[in-house]
Amino acid sequence: MALLNENIIRPKLEHIDIEITRACNYNCVHCSAGALKQDTSIELTYDEIKKIINDSYELGLTKLGLTGGEPLLEEEKMFDLISYAYNSLKIPVHIHTNGSLVTDEIAKRLRRHDVLTTISIFTNNEVNDEITRTDGSLELTLNGIKNALNNDINLHIFIVPSKLNVPYIKDIIYQLNKIGAKIFRILSLSPTGRAIEQFNDMSLTKEQIQKLNADLLQLRDEYGIDIQSGFCTHQTLPELFYLKGHDQCYSGKNRLHIDAIGNVYPCTAASGRPVFSAGNLRKIPLDEIWNNSPLLQFIRRYHHERPLKCKECVRYDECMGGCRVSMAYHYGDFSCAKPDCGGPYSK
């Protein structure tokens, strides 16, 4: 994948997501991060993460995400980083949490710093505990959502459809909307982390996708519920509205995901897959990885040079030859352009 220096593409690094811990109090069957109870002494320290944020800022950072694991297991570390980014760099922060630790006081602190908070929930019944493999997780997450709503924080609800929860997604969205949740995002099940070993068994059938699409469109069109999708989700649910900034695959183009020990990946979906590691920040400076990584350079080519198969396809911007992580899983080759596509679709 070596590239000539004159062909190097150096865009701005506008968005990073950082795992501030890999530890988690849930044990979700589909967790793309493979989060678990682990020795946190090997994880990035506050000072290391602060340096990553500063280095990213020099490269163009405008948006910071703090994730895990469960970031609220490192509550003070998380809020110190939020305060630094918010007060010193004027960068908006979002966090990804399972909601179980969002108390009234924590919700007030999140509101104080205008933190966009995403909480993941899966069903409105005991299947939620089956997915999280944690007794009482539904009640804990619902309490966290209610605390967030009571404090008027900027809240988005995340839902990952799988065969386990797809029959209940319509009901949980409707019920949460009735108590005040306004924005929902449907994520794609990712063939990474713990999900990789049972990905095929958990993935939706064509019939389930069609039913889910109909349910979501009904919620949107009849009840006015804001249900959004990102680039990958849009491949299977194309009638949903795009989440702002997710209308294309921006993996490695304007964003990176950094895991709890400093490994750099082009996006969150790629996290944990060695083939997608662009290097480790404890060994290589961020600017060198961002500007010179052959892996990132190769992925960026999909934005600037269409694969031969896709040259005349008018739908290329909708799929960009397929998700690189998905191609690696299904075909063992992250460089290929969606072999099962019926295109090209010519003008």
Side-chain angles (χ1 to χ4, degrees):
M1 290 190 293
L3 299 172
L4 296 176
N5 288 337
E6 60 266 26
N7 291 328
I8 286 179
I9 304 165
R10 292 189 174 96
K12 288 184 178 181
L13 174 55
E14 299 174 350
H15 179 174
I16 59 171
D17 287 298
I18 305 177
E19 298 174 10
I20 64 171
T21 182
R22 182 60 64 86
C24 190
N25 56 335
Y26 286 0
N27 186 26
C28 295
V29 295
H30 65 279
C31 180
S32 61
L36 41 75
K37 298 178 176 63
Q38 70 167 31
D39 178 10
T40 58
S41 66
I42 64 173
E43 296 179 341
L44 296 170
T45 65
Y46 168 82
D47 288 336
E48 286 179 303
I49 296 176
K50 181 180 175 182
K51 183 179 187 308
I52 292 169
I53 295 172
N54 286 334
D55 291 346
S56 300
Y57 187 73
E58 293 297 318
L59 294 168
L61 187 67
T62 59
K63 185 183 296 185
L64 171 65
L66 301 178
T67 184
E70 173 47 57
L72 280 165
L73 288 175
E74 294 285 346
E75 178 182 342
E76 294 311 315
K77 180 180 178 182
M78 186 190 83
F79 277 108
D80 286 346
L81 290 166
I82 290 171
S83 179
Y84 176 71
Y86 184 84
N87 293 317
S88 299
L89 302 179
K90 310 303 180 188
I91 293 175
V93 181
H94 57 276
I95 68 165
H96 303 285
T97 172
N98 61 39
S100 64
L101 303 176
V102 179
T103 62
D104 182 71
E105 177 56 33
I106 284 177
K108 283 180 169 60
R109 295 180 75 181
L110 292 169
R111 180 70 179 85
R112 200 173 302 137
H113 289 93
D114 195 27
V115 177
L116 167 59
T117 302
T118 69
I119 296 180
S120 296
I121 195 168
F122 309 105
T123 75
N124 56 354
N125 56 36
E126 65 278 358
V127 174
N128 202 83
D129 289 2
E130 182 181 345
I131 292 172
T132 63
R133 295 189 287 196
T134 305
D135 292 340
S137 66
L138 177 60
E139 182 178 0
L140 289 170
T141 296
L142 283 174
N143 284 339
I145 291 173
K146 291 173 183 176
N147 286 327
L149 293 172
N150 288 340
N151 286 279
D152 196 31
I153 70 173
N154 188 359
L155 174 68
H156 292 191
I157 303 296
F158 278 12
I159 300 174
V160 180
S162 71
K163 284 180 180 175
L164 291 171
N165 69 332
V166 69
Y168 317 108
I169 290 175
K170 181 180 178 181
D171 287 342
I172 189 62
I173 291 177
Y174 180 80
Q175 291 174 15
L176 289 177
N177 180 252
K178 294 294 276 187
I179 66 170
K182 301 299 184 185
I183 299 176
F184 297 83
R185 180 179 172 191
I186 308 301
L187 279 72
S188 293
L189 183 69
S190 180
T192 51
R194 278 194 290 274
I196 195 167
E197 294 182 359
Q198 49 190 334
F199 181 77
N200 290 336
D201 292 336
M202 294 177 66
S203 295
L204 303 183
T205 64
K206 290 183 179 179
E207 292 74 20
Q208 287 173 323
I209 291 172
Q210 291 172 351
K211 177 63 165 59
L212 175 61
N213 188 60
D215 287 346
L216 296 175
L217 292 178
Q218 181 184 14
L219 289 169
R220 186 191 72 185
D221 297 339
E222 293 188 18
Y223 299 99
I225 301 175
D226 189 347
I227 304 174
Q228 303 175 346
S229 70
F231 176 77
C232 289
T233 308
H234 214 70
Q235 307 299 302
T236 52
L237 299 170
E239 295 179 79
L240 294 182
F241 296 131
Y242 276 119
L243 176 68
K244 184 178 180 181
H246 291 260
D247 57 317
Q248 293 185 20
C249 173
Y250 290 99
S251 174
K253 182 183 180 183
N254 73 352
R255 68 196 59 194
L256 291 175
H257 182 97
I258 300 162
D259 75 12
I261 58 174
N263 294 312
V264 177
Y265 300 93
C267 64
T268 297
S271 178
R273 298 289 300 274
V275 69
F276 287 105
S277 175
N280 186 284
L281 294 176
R282 284 171 166 164
K283 300 177 181 178
I284 308 172
L286 179 60
D287 62 342
E288 183 175 338
I289 291 176
W290 179 248
N291 289 321
N292 300 317
S293 163
L295 172 73
L296 298 181
Q297 289 295 316
F298 181 82
I299 290 175
R300 289 168 191 159
R301 289 294 169 190
Y302 280 85
H303 292 271
H304 297 273
E305 299 176 15
R306 293 185 176 204
L308 292 175
K309 177 181 179 180
C310 309
K311 284 290 186 184
E312 303 301 322
C313 183
V314 298
R315 292 167 52 184
Y316 180 73
D317 288 343
E318 298 175 20
C319 79
M320 298 185 67
C323 165
R324 298 300 96 213
V325 178
S326 180
M327 295 302 99
Y329 174 78
H330 289 291
Y331 305 106
D333 179 5
F334 70 79
S335 70
C336 67
K338 214 170 186 178
D340 62 348
C341 178
Y345 296 93
S346 301
K347 298 178 182 179

